Structure formats: C-alpha cells, structure tokens
Amino acid sequence: VALINFMAFVFIALFQNISGRILQNYTPVQGVFPPEAYGAIFIFIGLAALVGVISSFFVPETRPENQ
C-alpha cells in the first residue's frame, strides 16, 4: 500500500510539471491561457489514463478464483 501511495504522489508531481510545460507553449491573453491550452492538457491526461487502462490488462491476476 505504501508503494502505491508513494507512486500516486510522484505521478501527481510529474503531471503538474508536464501540465505547466504544456501551458508554457501557449501565450496567455490578459493573464488567462486560451481554451486550446487546457484542451491540450485534457488530451494529455486522457491519453495517460488510456495507457493506464490498457496496461492494466497485462497485469497478471494474483489470486484466481478457480484455484
């Protein structure tokens, strides 16, 4: 449990930095980033979630019910 909790905090920190870098690629208008910037972050997070779901299919079952 501790390792999963630690990794959650690591990925939160990584995603914050990556999101900031994505925002830096867009020019703020009157101090506000355009909707396209937030759309790019949404796509990034969506792809990361999709990778997580797909990778979960490759994790072996630890306690099969029929044994």
Side-chain angles (χ1 to χ4, degrees):
V1 174
L3 180 63
I4 294 171
N5 193 25
F6 172 74
M7 292 307 292
F9 282 104
V10 167
F11 278 102
I12 288 169
L14 285 175
F15 277 37
Q16 285 179 339
N17 287 323
I18 294 170
S19 297
R21 300 234 181 220
I22 292 171
L23 282 177
Q24 287 178 347
N25 291 327
Y26 295 89
T27 304
V29 178
Q30 296 179 352
V32 178
F33 287 102
E36 294 83 15
Y38 294 104
I41 292 173
F42 185 76
I43 289 171
F44 164 68
I45 293 174
L47 289 175
L50 183 63
V51 168
V53 169
I54 291 171
S55 66
S56 72
F57 292 116
F58 296 101
V59 176
E61 181 69 36
T62 55
R63 295 183 192 168
E65 292 182 22
N66 54 353
Q67 280 188 356

Short mmCIF file of all heavy atoms in Angstrom, two decimals:
data_model
loop_
_atom_site.label_atom_id
_atom_site.label_comp_id
_atom_site.label_asym_id
_atom_site.label_seq_id
_atom_site.Cartn_x
_atom_site.Cartn_y
_atom_site.Cartn_z
N VAL A 1 0.83 -1.19 0.00
CA VAL A 1 0.00 0.00 0.00
C VAL A 1 0.88 1.25 0.00
O VAL A 1 0.57 2.23 -0.67
CB VAL A 1 -0.95 -0.01 1.22
CG1 VAL A 1 -1.72 1.29 1.31
CG2 VAL A 1 -1.90 -1.18 1.14
N ALA A 2 1.96 1.22 0.73
CA ALA A 2 2.84 2.39 0.81
C ALA A 2 3.45 2.72 -0.54
O ALA A 2 3.56 3.91 -0.90
CB ALA A 2 3.93 2.16 1.85
N LEU A 3 3.82 1.70 -1.30
CA LEU A 3 4.41 1.94 -2.61
C LEU A 3 3.39 2.57 -3.56
O LEU A 3 3.73 3.50 -4.30
CB LEU A 3 4.94 0.63 -3.20
CG LEU A 3 5.58 0.75 -4.59
CD1 LEU A 3 6.81 1.64 -4.52
CD2 LEU A 3 5.95 -0.62 -5.11
N ILE A 4 2.16 2.10 -3.53
CA ILE A 4 1.12 2.67 -4.39
C ILE A 4 0.85 4.12 -4.00
O ILE A 4 0.71 4.99 -4.85
CB ILE A 4 -0.16 1.82 -4.30
CG1 ILE A 4 0.09 0.44 -4.90
CG2 ILE A 4 -1.31 2.50 -5.01
CD1 ILE A 4 -1.02 -0.54 -4.69
N ASN A 5 0.79 4.40 -2.72
CA ASN A 5 0.59 5.77 -2.24
C ASN A 5 1.74 6.67 -2.67
O ASN A 5 1.52 7.79 -3.14
CB ASN A 5 0.43 5.76 -0.72
CG ASN A 5 -0.08 7.08 -0.21
OD1 ASN A 5 -0.74 7.81 -0.92
ND2 ASN A 5 0.21 7.36 1.05
N PHE A 6 2.96 6.19 -2.54
CA PHE A 6 4.13 6.97 -2.94
C PHE A 6 4.10 7.26 -4.44
O PHE A 6 4.35 8.38 -4.87
CB PHE A 6 5.41 6.21 -2.56
CG PHE A 6 6.66 6.84 -3.10
CD1 PHE A 6 7.16 8.00 -2.55
CD2 PHE A 6 7.31 6.27 -4.18
CE1 PHE A 6 8.31 8.59 -3.05
CE2 PHE A 6 8.47 6.85 -4.69
CZ PHE A 6 8.97 8.01 -4.12
N MET A 7 3.79 6.24 -5.24
CA MET A 7 3.77 6.42 -6.69
C MET A 7 2.67 7.39 -7.10
O MET A 7 2.83 8.14 -8.07
CB MET A 7 3.60 5.08 -7.39
CG MET A 7 4.81 4.17 -7.25
SD MET A 7 6.36 4.94 -7.74
CE MET A 7 6.12 5.12 -9.48
N ALA A 8 1.55 7.39 -6.39
CA ALA A 8 0.49 8.35 -6.70
C ALA A 8 1.00 9.78 -6.53
O ALA A 8 0.77 10.64 -7.39
CB ALA A 8 -0.72 8.11 -5.79
N PHE A 9 1.72 10.05 -5.45
CA PHE A 9 2.27 11.39 -5.23
C PHE A 9 3.34 11.74 -6.26
O PHE A 9 3.44 12.88 -6.70
CB PHE A 9 2.83 11.51 -3.81
CG PHE A 9 1.76 11.72 -2.78
CD1 PHE A 9 1.37 10.67 -1.96
CD2 PHE A 9 1.14 12.94 -2.64
CE1 PHE A 9 0.39 10.85 -1.01
CE2 PHE A 9 0.14 13.14 -1.69
CZ PHE A 9 -0.24 12.08 -0.88
N VAL A 10 4.14 10.76 -6.67
CA VAL A 10 5.16 11.00 -7.68
C VAL A 10 4.51 11.39 -9.00
O VAL A 10 4.92 12.36 -9.66
CB VAL A 10 6.06 9.76 -7.86
CG1 VAL A 10 6.91 9.87 -9.11
CG2 VAL A 10 6.95 9.57 -6.63
N PHE A 11 3.48 10.65 -9.40
CA PHE A 11 2.83 10.95 -10.68
C PHE A 11 2.04 12.26 -10.62
O PHE A 11 1.94 12.97 -11.63
CB PHE A 11 1.95 9.79 -11.13
CG PHE A 11 2.74 8.72 -11.80
CD1 PHE A 11 3.07 7.55 -11.13
CD2 PHE A 11 3.19 8.89 -13.10
CE1 PHE A 11 3.82 6.57 -11.75
CE2 PHE A 11 3.94 7.91 -13.74
CZ PHE A 11 4.26 6.75 -13.06
N ILE A 12 1.50 12.61 -9.47
CA ILE A 12 0.85 13.92 -9.34
C ILE A 12 1.88 15.02 -9.57
O ILE A 12 1.62 15.99 -10.29
CB ILE A 12 0.18 14.05 -7.96
CG1 ILE A 12 -1.06 13.16 -7.89
CG2 ILE A 12 -0.20 15.51 -7.68
CD1 ILE A 12 -1.64 13.02 -6.51
N ALA A 13 3.05 14.89 -8.97
CA ALA A 13 4.10 15.89 -9.17
C ALA A 13 4.55 15.94 -10.63
O ALA A 13 4.74 17.02 -11.18
CB ALA A 13 5.28 15.58 -8.25
N LEU A 14 4.71 14.80 -11.26
CA LEU A 14 5.11 14.77 -12.67
C LEU A 14 4.05 15.40 -13.56
O LEU A 14 4.37 16.18 -14.46
CB LEU A 14 5.37 13.33 -13.11
CG LEU A 14 6.66 12.69 -12.62
CD1 LEU A 14 6.71 11.23 -13.03
CD2 LEU A 14 7.86 13.43 -13.16
N PHE A 15 2.79 15.07 -13.32
CA PHE A 15 1.73 15.60 -14.17
C PHE A 15 1.59 17.11 -13.99
O PHE A 15 1.24 17.81 -14.95
CB PHE A 15 0.41 14.90 -13.87
CG PHE A 15 0.25 13.59 -14.59
CD1 PHE A 15 1.33 12.75 -14.80
CD2 PHE A 15 -0.97 13.20 -15.08
CE1 PHE A 15 1.20 11.56 -15.46
CE2 PHE A 15 -1.12 11.99 -15.76
CZ PHE A 15 -0.03 11.17 -15.94
N GLN A 16 1.84 17.63 -12.80
CA GLN A 16 1.80 19.08 -12.61
C GLN A 16 2.89 19.75 -13.43
O GLN A 16 2.64 20.78 -14.07
CB GLN A 16 1.96 19.44 -11.14
CG GLN A 16 0.72 19.19 -10.32
CD GLN A 16 0.92 19.55 -8.86
OE1 GLN A 16 2.04 19.63 -8.37
NE2 GLN A 16 -0.17 19.76 -8.16
N ASN A 17 4.08 19.20 -13.41
CA ASN A 17 5.18 19.79 -14.19
C ASN A 17 4.92 19.68 -15.68
O ASN A 17 5.17 20.64 -16.43
CB ASN A 17 6.50 19.11 -13.83
CG ASN A 17 7.00 19.54 -12.47
OD1 ASN A 17 6.84 20.69 -12.09
ND2 ASN A 17 7.59 18.62 -11.74
N ILE A 18 4.44 18.55 -16.13
CA ILE A 18 4.16 18.38 -17.56
C ILE A 18 3.03 19.31 -17.99
O ILE A 18 3.10 19.93 -19.06
CB ILE A 18 3.83 16.90 -17.87
CG1 ILE A 18 5.07 16.04 -17.64
CG2 ILE A 18 3.31 16.75 -19.29
CD1 ILE A 18 4.80 14.55 -17.68
N SER A 19 2.01 19.45 -17.16
CA SER A 19 0.91 20.37 -17.48
C SER A 19 1.41 21.80 -17.57
O SER A 19 0.99 22.56 -18.45
CB SER A 19 -0.19 20.26 -16.44
OG SER A 19 -0.76 18.98 -16.44
N GLY A 20 2.30 22.18 -16.69
CA GLY A 20 2.89 23.52 -16.75
C GLY A 20 3.68 23.74 -18.02
O GLY A 20 3.62 24.81 -18.63
N ARG A 21 4.41 22.73 -18.43
CA ARG A 21 5.18 22.84 -19.68
C ARG A 21 4.26 22.95 -20.89
O ARG A 21 4.55 23.67 -21.84
CB ARG A 21 6.11 21.66 -19.84
CG ARG A 21 7.10 21.55 -18.72
CD ARG A 21 8.48 21.48 -19.23
NE ARG A 21 9.37 21.35 -18.06
CZ ARG A 21 10.49 21.97 -17.99
NH1 ARG A 21 10.88 22.74 -18.97
NH2 ARG A 21 11.25 21.83 -16.94
N ILE A 22 3.16 22.23 -20.85
CA ILE A 22 2.19 22.33 -21.95
C ILE A 22 1.61 23.74 -21.98
O ILE A 22 1.48 24.35 -23.05
CB ILE A 22 1.08 21.27 -21.80
CG1 ILE A 22 1.65 19.86 -22.03
CG2 ILE A 22 -0.07 21.54 -22.77
CD1 ILE A 22 0.69 18.75 -21.70
N LEU A 23 1.27 24.30 -20.82
CA LEU A 23 0.72 25.65 -20.77
C LEU A 23 1.72 26.69 -21.28
O LEU A 23 1.33 27.69 -21.89
CB LEU A 23 0.30 26.01 -19.35
CG LEU A 23 -1.02 25.45 -18.85
CD1 LEU A 23 -1.25 25.84 -17.40
CD2 LEU A 23 -2.18 25.90 -19.71
N GLN A 24 3.01 26.47 -21.04
CA GLN A 24 4.03 27.42 -21.47
C GLN A 24 4.12 27.52 -23.00
O GLN A 24 4.67 28.49 -23.51
CB GLN A 24 5.39 27.05 -20.91
CG GLN A 24 5.53 27.33 -19.44
CD GLN A 24 6.88 26.89 -18.90
OE1 GLN A 24 7.62 26.17 -19.55
NE2 GLN A 24 7.20 27.34 -17.70
N ASN A 25 3.60 26.53 -23.70
CA ASN A 25 3.62 26.57 -25.16
C ASN A 25 2.57 27.52 -25.73
O ASN A 25 2.55 27.76 -26.93
CB ASN A 25 3.42 25.17 -25.74
CG ASN A 25 4.61 24.26 -25.48
OD1 ASN A 25 5.74 24.72 -25.43
ND2 ASN A 25 4.33 22.99 -25.29
N TYR A 26 1.67 28.02 -24.89
CA TYR A 26 0.61 28.92 -25.34
C TYR A 26 0.82 30.29 -24.71
O TYR A 26 1.30 30.41 -23.59
CB TYR A 26 -0.76 28.36 -24.94
CG TYR A 26 -1.10 27.07 -25.63
CD1 TYR A 26 -0.73 25.84 -25.08
CD2 TYR A 26 -1.76 27.07 -26.84
CE1 TYR A 26 -1.03 24.66 -25.72
CE2 TYR A 26 -2.06 25.88 -27.50
CZ TYR A 26 -1.70 24.69 -26.92
OH TYR A 26 -1.98 23.51 -27.56
N THR A 27 0.42 31.32 -25.42
CA THR A 27 0.57 32.69 -24.93
C THR A 27 -0.70 33.10 -24.20
O THR A 27 -1.80 33.03 -24.76
CB THR A 27 0.80 33.65 -26.12
OG1 THR A 27 1.92 33.19 -26.86
CG2 THR A 27 1.04 35.06 -25.63
N PRO A 28 -0.56 33.54 -22.95
CA PRO A 28 -1.75 33.99 -22.22
C PRO A 28 -2.31 35.29 -22.81
O PRO A 28 -1.56 36.15 -23.26
CB PRO A 28 -1.25 34.22 -20.80
CG PRO A 28 0.17 33.83 -20.76
CD PRO A 28 0.64 33.56 -22.13
N VAL A 29 -3.60 35.40 -22.80
CA VAL A 29 -4.28 36.61 -23.24
C VAL A 29 -4.89 37.26 -22.01
O VAL A 29 -5.76 36.68 -21.37
CB VAL A 29 -5.38 36.28 -24.28
CG1 VAL A 29 -6.12 37.54 -24.70
CG2 VAL A 29 -4.78 35.57 -25.48
N GLN A 30 -4.39 38.43 -21.66
CA GLN A 30 -4.81 39.16 -20.45
C GLN A 30 -4.66 38.29 -19.20
O GLN A 30 -5.51 38.27 -18.33
CB GLN A 30 -6.25 39.66 -20.59
CG GLN A 30 -6.43 40.67 -21.70
CD GLN A 30 -7.85 41.13 -21.84
OE1 GLN A 30 -8.75 40.59 -21.20
NE2 GLN A 30 -8.08 42.13 -22.68
N GLY A 31 -3.58 37.54 -19.16
CA GLY A 31 -3.26 36.72 -17.99
C GLY A 31 -3.97 35.39 -17.93
O GLY A 31 -3.83 34.66 -16.95
N VAL A 32 -4.74 35.06 -18.96
CA VAL A 32 -5.50 33.81 -18.96
C VAL A 32 -5.07 32.99 -20.18
O VAL A 32 -5.00 33.51 -21.29
CB VAL A 32 -7.02 34.08 -19.03
CG1 VAL A 32 -7.80 32.78 -19.08
CG2 VAL A 32 -7.46 34.92 -17.85
N PHE A 33 -4.81 31.72 -19.96
CA PHE A 33 -4.43 30.84 -21.06
C PHE A 33 -5.66 30.53 -21.91
O PHE A 33 -6.77 30.41 -21.40
CB PHE A 33 -3.81 29.55 -20.54
CG PHE A 33 -2.43 29.75 -19.99
CD1 PHE A 33 -2.21 29.81 -18.63
CD2 PHE A 33 -1.34 29.87 -20.83
CE1 PHE A 33 -0.94 29.99 -18.11
CE2 PHE A 33 -0.07 30.05 -20.34
CZ PHE A 33 0.13 30.12 -18.98
N PRO A 34 -5.45 30.36 -23.21
CA PRO A 34 -6.60 30.07 -24.10
C PRO A 34 -7.15 28.67 -23.86
O PRO A 34 -6.47 27.79 -23.31
CB PRO A 34 -5.99 30.19 -25.50
CG PRO A 34 -4.54 29.94 -25.32
CD PRO A 34 -4.21 30.46 -23.95
N PRO A 35 -8.39 28.44 -24.28
CA PRO A 35 -9.00 27.11 -24.10
C PRO A 35 -8.21 25.99 -24.77
O PRO A 35 -8.25 24.85 -24.31
CB PRO A 35 -10.38 27.26 -24.75
CG PRO A 35 -10.67 28.72 -24.71
CD PRO A 35 -9.34 29.41 -24.82
N GLU A 36 -7.49 26.32 -25.85
CA GLU A 36 -6.70 25.29 -26.54
C GLU A 36 -5.62 24.72 -25.62
O GLU A 36 -5.28 23.54 -25.71
CB GLU A 36 -6.05 25.86 -27.80
CG GLU A 36 -7.03 26.25 -28.88
CD GLU A 36 -7.63 27.64 -28.67
OE1 GLU A 36 -7.10 28.42 -27.85
OE2 GLU A 36 -8.63 27.93 -29.32
N ALA A 37 -5.08 25.55 -24.73
CA ALA A 37 -4.05 25.09 -23.80
C ALA A 37 -4.63 24.05 -22.84
O ALA A 37 -4.03 23.01 -22.59
CB ALA A 37 -3.46 26.26 -23.03
N TYR A 38 -5.81 24.35 -22.33
CA TYR A 38 -6.44 23.41 -21.41
C TYR A 38 -6.92 22.16 -22.15
O TYR A 38 -6.94 21.06 -21.58
CB TYR A 38 -7.59 24.09 -20.66
CG TYR A 38 -7.07 25.17 -19.75
CD1 TYR A 38 -7.20 26.52 -20.09
CD2 TYR A 38 -6.44 24.85 -18.56
CE1 TYR A 38 -6.71 27.51 -19.26
CE2 TYR A 38 -5.94 25.84 -17.73
CZ TYR A 38 -6.09 27.16 -18.09
OH TYR A 38 -5.59 28.15 -17.27
N GLY A 39 -7.29 22.32 -23.41
CA GLY A 39 -7.65 21.15 -24.23
C GLY A 39 -6.46 20.23 -24.42
O GLY A 39 -6.59 19.01 -24.40
N ALA A 40 -5.27 20.83 -24.62
CA ALA A 40 -4.06 20.01 -24.78
C ALA A 40 -3.75 19.25 -23.50
O ALA A 40 -3.37 18.08 -23.54
CB ALA A 40 -2.89 20.91 -25.17
N ILE A 41 -3.94 19.89 -22.36
CA ILE A 41 -3.71 19.20 -21.08
C ILE A 41 -4.73 18.08 -20.90
O ILE A 41 -4.40 16.99 -20.43
CB ILE A 41 -3.76 20.20 -19.91
CG1 ILE A 41 -2.57 21.15 -19.99
CG2 ILE A 41 -3.78 19.48 -18.57
CD1 ILE A 41 -2.61 22.28 -18.99
N PHE A 42 -5.98 18.35 -21.27
CA PHE A 42 -7.02 17.34 -21.16
C PHE A 42 -6.69 16.12 -22.02
O PHE A 42 -6.86 14.97 -21.60
CB PHE A 42 -8.37 17.93 -21.56
CG PHE A 42 -9.53 17.01 -21.36
CD1 PHE A 42 -10.05 16.78 -20.10
CD2 PHE A 42 -10.10 16.36 -22.45
CE1 PHE A 42 -11.11 15.92 -19.92
CE2 PHE A 42 -11.16 15.49 -22.27
CZ PHE A 42 -11.67 15.28 -21.00
N ILE A 43 -6.19 16.36 -23.23
CA ILE A 43 -5.79 15.26 -24.11
C ILE A 43 -4.64 14.48 -23.50
O ILE A 43 -4.62 13.25 -23.51
CB ILE A 43 -5.44 15.80 -25.52
CG1 ILE A 43 -6.70 16.26 -26.22
CG2 ILE A 43 -4.71 14.74 -26.34
CD1 ILE A 43 -6.46 17.00 -27.51
N PHE A 44 -3.65 15.20 -22.95
CA PHE A 44 -2.52 14.53 -22.30
C PHE A 44 -2.99 13.63 -21.15
O PHE A 44 -2.60 12.46 -21.06
CB PHE A 44 -1.52 15.56 -21.80
CG PHE A 44 -0.53 15.02 -20.81
CD1 PHE A 44 0.42 14.10 -21.20
CD2 PHE A 44 -0.59 15.40 -19.48
CE1 PHE A 44 1.32 13.58 -20.28
CE2 PHE A 44 0.30 14.89 -18.56
CZ PHE A 44 1.26 13.97 -18.97
N ILE A 45 -3.84 14.15 -20.29
CA ILE A 45 -4.30 13.37 -19.14
C ILE A 45 -5.18 12.20 -19.62
O ILE A 45 -5.12 11.10 -19.07
CB ILE A 45 -5.03 14.27 -18.13
CG1 ILE A 45 -4.03 15.23 -17.51
CG2 ILE A 45 -5.73 13.46 -17.06
CD1 ILE A 45 -4.62 16.27 -16.60
N GLY A 46 -5.99 12.44 -20.65
CA GLY A 46 -6.81 11.36 -21.20
C GLY A 46 -5.97 10.24 -21.78
O GLY A 46 -6.27 9.06 -21.58
N LEU A 47 -4.90 10.61 -22.50
CA LEU A 47 -4.01 9.58 -23.05
C LEU A 47 -3.30 8.82 -21.94
O LEU A 47 -3.11 7.60 -22.03
CB LEU A 47 -2.99 10.21 -24.00
CG LEU A 47 -3.55 10.70 -25.34
CD1 LEU A 47 -2.47 11.42 -26.12
CD2 LEU A 47 -4.11 9.55 -26.12
N ALA A 48 -2.91 9.53 -20.89
CA ALA A 48 -2.26 8.86 -19.76
C ALA A 48 -3.22 7.88 -19.09
O ALA A 48 -2.83 6.76 -18.72
CB ALA A 48 -1.76 9.88 -18.75
N ALA A 49 -4.48 8.26 -18.97
CA ALA A 49 -5.48 7.36 -18.39
C ALA A 49 -5.70 6.15 -19.28
O ALA A 49 -5.83 5.02 -18.80
CB ALA A 49 -6.79 8.11 -18.17
N LEU A 50 -5.73 6.38 -20.59
CA LEU A 50 -5.90 5.28 -21.53
C LEU A 50 -4.73 4.30 -21.46
O LEU A 50 -4.93 3.08 -21.48
CB LEU A 50 -6.04 5.83 -22.95
CG LEU A 50 -6.31 4.82 -24.05
CD1 LEU A 50 -7.64 4.11 -23.83
CD2 LEU A 50 -6.30 5.51 -25.40
N VAL A 51 -3.51 4.83 -21.35
CA VAL A 51 -2.34 3.96 -21.19
C VAL A 51 -2.46 3.14 -19.91
O VAL A 51 -2.15 1.94 -19.88
CB VAL A 51 -1.04 4.79 -21.20
CG1 VAL A 51 0.15 3.96 -20.74
CG2 VAL A 51 -0.78 5.36 -22.58
N GLY A 52 -2.94 3.75 -18.84
CA GLY A 52 -3.13 3.03 -17.58
C GLY A 52 -4.15 1.91 -17.69
O GLY A 52 -3.94 0.81 -17.18
N VAL A 53 -5.25 2.18 -18.38
CA VAL A 53 -6.28 1.16 -18.55
C VAL A 53 -5.76 0.02 -19.41
O VAL A 53 -5.95 -1.16 -19.08
CB VAL A 53 -7.56 1.78 -19.16
CG1 VAL A 53 -8.53 0.70 -19.60
CG2 VAL A 53 -8.23 2.70 -18.17
N ILE A 54 -5.11 0.35 -20.50
CA ILE A 54 -4.57 -0.70 -21.38
C ILE A 54 -3.51 -1.53 -20.66
O ILE A 54 -3.49 -2.75 -20.76
CB ILE A 54 -4.02 -0.08 -22.68
CG1 ILE A 54 -5.17 0.47 -23.52
CG2 ILE A 54 -3.22 -1.10 -23.47
CD1 ILE A 54 -4.75 1.28 -24.71
N SER A 55 -2.64 -0.87 -19.91
CA SER A 55 -1.59 -1.62 -19.20
C SER A 55 -2.17 -2.51 -18.10
O SER A 55 -1.57 -3.52 -17.75
CB SER A 55 -0.54 -0.67 -18.63
OG SER A 55 -1.11 0.14 -17.62
N SER A 56 -3.34 -2.16 -17.58
CA SER A 56 -3.94 -2.99 -16.53
C SER A 56 -4.35 -4.37 -17.06
O SER A 56 -4.45 -5.32 -16.29
CB SER A 56 -5.15 -2.29 -15.91
OG SER A 56 -6.23 -2.27 -16.82
N PHE A 57 -4.57 -4.47 -18.36
CA PHE A 57 -4.92 -5.77 -18.94
C PHE A 57 -3.73 -6.72 -19.01
O PHE A 57 -3.91 -7.92 -19.20
CB PHE A 57 -5.52 -5.59 -20.34
CG PHE A 57 -6.86 -4.91 -20.33
CD1 PHE A 57 -7.01 -3.68 -20.94
CD2 PHE A 57 -7.94 -5.49 -19.70
CE1 PHE A 57 -8.24 -3.04 -20.94
CE2 PHE A 57 -9.17 -4.85 -19.68
CZ PHE A 57 -9.32 -3.63 -20.30
N PHE A 58 -2.54 -6.20 -18.85
CA PHE A 58 -1.34 -7.03 -18.93
C PHE A 58 -0.78 -7.42 -17.55
O PHE A 58 0.22 -8.10 -17.47
CB PHE A 58 -0.26 -6.32 -19.75
CG PHE A 58 -0.67 -6.11 -21.18
CD1 PHE A 58 -1.13 -4.87 -21.59
CD2 PHE A 58 -0.61 -7.14 -22.09
CE1 PHE A 58 -1.52 -4.66 -22.91
CE2 PHE A 58 -0.99 -6.96 -23.40
CZ PHE A 58 -1.46 -5.72 -23.81
N VAL A 59 -1.43 -6.99 -16.50
CA VAL A 59 -1.02 -7.35 -15.14
C VAL A 59 -1.65 -8.69 -14.80
O VAL A 59 -2.88 -8.87 -14.91
CB VAL A 59 -1.45 -6.28 -14.12
CG1 VAL A 59 -1.11 -6.69 -12.71
CG2 VAL A 59 -0.82 -4.94 -14.45
N PRO A 60 -0.85 -9.68 -14.40
CA PRO A 60 -1.42 -10.99 -14.11
C PRO A 60 -2.29 -10.98 -12.85
O PRO A 60 -2.04 -10.21 -11.91
CB PRO A 60 -0.19 -11.89 -13.92
CG PRO A 60 0.90 -10.95 -13.54
CD PRO A 60 0.60 -9.64 -14.21
N GLU A 61 -3.27 -11.82 -12.85
CA GLU A 61 -4.16 -11.98 -11.70
C GLU A 61 -3.36 -12.63 -10.58
O GLU A 61 -2.68 -13.63 -10.78
CB GLU A 61 -5.35 -12.84 -12.07
CG GLU A 61 -6.35 -13.06 -10.98
CD GLU A 61 -7.10 -11.81 -10.62
OE1 GLU A 61 -7.39 -11.01 -11.52
OE2 GLU A 61 -7.40 -11.63 -9.43
N THR A 62 -3.45 -12.10 -9.37
CA THR A 62 -2.65 -12.63 -8.26
C THR A 62 -3.36 -13.76 -7.53
O THR A 62 -2.71 -14.66 -7.02
CB THR A 62 -2.31 -11.52 -7.26
OG1 THR A 62 -3.51 -10.90 -6.82
CG2 THR A 62 -1.39 -10.48 -7.90
N ARG A 63 -4.68 -13.73 -7.50
CA ARG A 63 -5.43 -14.78 -6.81
C ARG A 63 -6.63 -15.20 -7.65
O ARG A 63 -7.74 -14.74 -7.45
CB ARG A 63 -5.91 -14.29 -5.45
CG ARG A 63 -4.81 -14.00 -4.50
CD ARG A 63 -5.33 -13.59 -3.17
NE ARG A 63 -4.22 -13.03 -2.40
CZ ARG A 63 -4.36 -12.39 -1.29
NH1 ARG A 63 -5.56 -12.18 -0.78
NH2 ARG A 63 -3.33 -11.93 -0.66
N PRO A 64 -6.43 -16.10 -8.60
CA PRO A 64 -7.56 -16.55 -9.41
C PRO A 64 -8.59 -17.25 -8.54
O PRO A 64 -8.26 -17.95 -7.59
CB PRO A 64 -6.94 -17.51 -10.41
CG PRO A 64 -5.46 -17.34 -10.31
CD PRO A 64 -5.18 -16.69 -8.99
N GLU A 65 -9.85 -17.07 -8.88
CA GLU A 65 -10.94 -17.64 -8.07
C GLU A 65 -11.10 -19.15 -8.28
O GLU A 65 -11.61 -19.83 -7.41
CB GLU A 65 -12.24 -16.95 -8.41
CG GLU A 65 -12.29 -15.52 -7.96
CD GLU A 65 -13.63 -14.88 -8.27
OE1 GLU A 65 -14.62 -15.60 -8.44
OE2 GLU A 65 -13.67 -13.64 -8.31
N ASN A 66 -10.67 -19.70 -9.38
CA ASN A 66 -10.92 -21.12 -9.65
C ASN A 66 -9.74 -22.01 -9.26
O ASN A 66 -9.60 -23.10 -9.77
CB ASN A 66 -11.26 -21.31 -11.13
CG ASN A 66 -10.22 -20.73 -12.05
OD1 ASN A 66 -9.29 -20.08 -11.61
ND2 ASN A 66 -10.38 -20.96 -13.34
N GLN A 67 -8.93 -21.58 -8.33
CA GLN A 67 -7.84 -22.45 -7.87
C GLN A 67 -8.06 -22.88 -6.45
O GLN A 67 -8.53 -22.25 -5.61
CB GLN A 67 -6.49 -21.74 -7.98
CG GLN A 67 -5.96 -21.79 -9.37
CD GLN A 67 -4.53 -21.26 -9.42
OE1 GLN A 67 -3.97 -20.80 -8.42
NE2 GLN A 67 -3.92 -21.34 -10.58
#
